Amino acid sequence: MKLLEYEAKSVFKDFGIPVPKSVLIRAPEEVAPHLAALGDTVVLKAQVDVGGRGKAGGILKADDADAVRAARDLFSREIKGLPVREILVEERLPITHEYYLSIAIDRSTKGPVILFADAGGVDIESAAQEDAGAVRKVTLPPLLTEVPAFLMRELLGDAPKDLAPVINRLYRVFREKDAMLAEINPLVTTEKGVYAADAKLIVDDNALARQGIAVNRDLTDREQEAEKHGFAYVELDGSIGVIGNGAGLTMSTLDLIEFYQGRAANFLDVGGGADQDRVQHAVRLVAGMPDVKVIVVNLLGGITRCDEVAKGIIAAGVAPTVIVRMAGTNEEEGRRLLAEHGYRMLESMDAAVKAAVEAAA
Amino acid sequence: MIYTDKNQGVIVQNITGRQGTFHTALMNEYAREVGGRGVVAGVAPKKGGQEVHGVPVYNTVKEALREHDAAASVVFVPGGAAGDAIMEAAHAGLELVVAITEHIPVHDAMRAISYAELEGCAVVGPNCPGLLSPGECKLGIMPAHLATRGSVGVISRSGTLTYEVVDELTRAGIGQSSIVGIGGDPVIGQTFVDVLERFRDDPQTKAVVVIGEVGGNLEEEGVRSADLPVVTYIAGISAPPEKRMGHAGAIIEGGEGDARSKVQRLKNLGVPVASRPSEIPALIRDLL
């Protein structure tokens, strides 16, 4: 789950990474009493979870005299379709240089990877593409609790040495907060010292509970409902509902829909060993999406039993056409039940998907 | 066969849990069919002294190894404790850990796998269906009745999609040497490269099916290193671009994360890429 900038900065601050002085406001007038402490000019930053926030008009600069008006302006905007409910108002830093720093997970080396660039800011990606040497990259074994000095030297190059503690502190954040990504862009130097001018922190969804996060905000209501039932669920914008077991098989079903030039309404993986109840919930959930015309169910019974799946489909009793393909454990009984209730069963994944695409056309 | 054979005993960690109990029965049913040793002991902290389907339960892996000879374990320990279970198995001297558990925090997986590698222990998974060598041994949860013994190796990041492909192969009369589900998580122990090396050294295996997914470039790394004829299939061509993970994801993968460009890079390596699972048997037959 992605944290908002102010939440990430609060974590960074707890770990000793300097962040600008700031106040979080939920209404324009709330900024007034804090202006004296924030200096002559301030930066107002909309707390919305979008990339390219600055370019989309989510960041304003203002003099103290103008700050309330600027806040009112920003609260009235939508940033890439999202309403602005919270604004982080920060002191404006006298920046002398901007760097880029992030720590993520490298699949190939199965451990952390630290990225550092001498030129941070909004154009870091294009800079990295144009010049492979622009971003320095080191991987390290996950059992190390600190970045060794030789790797620190490799990362920093000619950059000031006082950035090193920030790198080690961000590495601590990364480890202790179960981060998938911890990023500071830009990491800035000023005459007063080093600051994280922006902050990004993505927490591993599998570690939310131990990080004390009760609700995954990245999910829509329907996605949260799905998560409660143990489904992996993503909403798309076609008219063919999809239910499968296992992420790979479900993804492959979606690919096959595209192959036959149809459009999927969703991705729903019921998970391993789904029983009648779970299947019934899954079918109802997908049938409840407004655009769904037909649902294709593709299940391969290993731990999952086909007769349970059939009972779940029948119990859901939904209006859109359900086309079923299932194979594996208790297949015969499942087929018999579905046939009794007049459901359409097809032998192969290809045939079932093709029929669904035709039915949705 | 690769990794292990029917003469090696297996330990099940968290044998008293629902999945552990259920699959211990299935693994031992398979072991009886093929004349293998199967699961010889189970582990569950504070539950030592019990029996599960006739298999004795111990508090720790070390205690189990004092009474039984085993080289591998299958981990059914739930998410937050699974990393610890993997390290326990490696520390006790097992050579192979198959981690079935899903939802392991990725930092736990990184540390446990890194530690296991230091101990010389290979980790398959996490979040995987395990390992099946038809006619030889089964460590994990794969439905064995879909498979049939033969000369094609299968490596996959998925579970049920693997069964789908194995089913297609079996129906087409193409048997399998070993089937390895390496797991779908961002950090896994044995990668395509590692398993392909084992297949290269396995006289039974003549060709390999590599079943990949969107994300990362482990499939390409594996195929590039393979000394065997390989057919690939990549799931997730139609997947919408992942919610962006800041700049770091894009910089690390250099825009290489999506399935379409992955397919293109595999084709550039001269490897046949099936556009759907049902095409795989014909492509394999061309290679054999």
Side-chain angles (χ1 to χ4, degrees), chain B residues 197-281:
Chain B
E197 259 172 37
R198 305 269 182 156
F199 275 133
R200 179 197 62 202
D201 299 335
D202 173 34
Q204 186 187 348
T205 304
K206 306 292 179 226
V208 178
V209 180
V210 166
I211 306 165
E213 280 179 14
V214 57
N217 55 8
L218 294 176
E219 289 84 353
E220 298 92 299
E221 280 178 19
V223 165
R224 210 173 286 123
S225 75
D227 293 328
L228 283 167
V230 168
V231 168
T232 61
Y233 168 72
I234 303 296
I237 292 288
S238 65
E242 274 183 291
K243 287 174 192 171
R244 283 170 55 87
M245 295 241 311
H247 295 289
I251 294 170
I252 294 166
E253 293 177 354
E256 293 181 358
D258 70 293
R260 231 172 269 281
S261 62
K262 188 191 284 272
V263 166
Q264 194 49 52
R265 287 194 305 281
L266 287 167
K267 284 183 175 162
N268 292 346
L269 290 169
V271 175
V273 183
S275 57
R276 39 195 173 134
S278 55
E279 289 178 8
I280 293 172

Side-chain angles (χ1 to χ4, degrees), chain A residues 145-166:
Chain A
T145 55
E146 270 193 18
V147 184
F150 78 97
L151 286 182
M152 199 64 96
R153 286 196 296 272
E154 193 178 322
L155 271 175
L156 286 178
D158 293 328
K161 284 188 182 52
D162 53 352
L163 296 177
V166 176

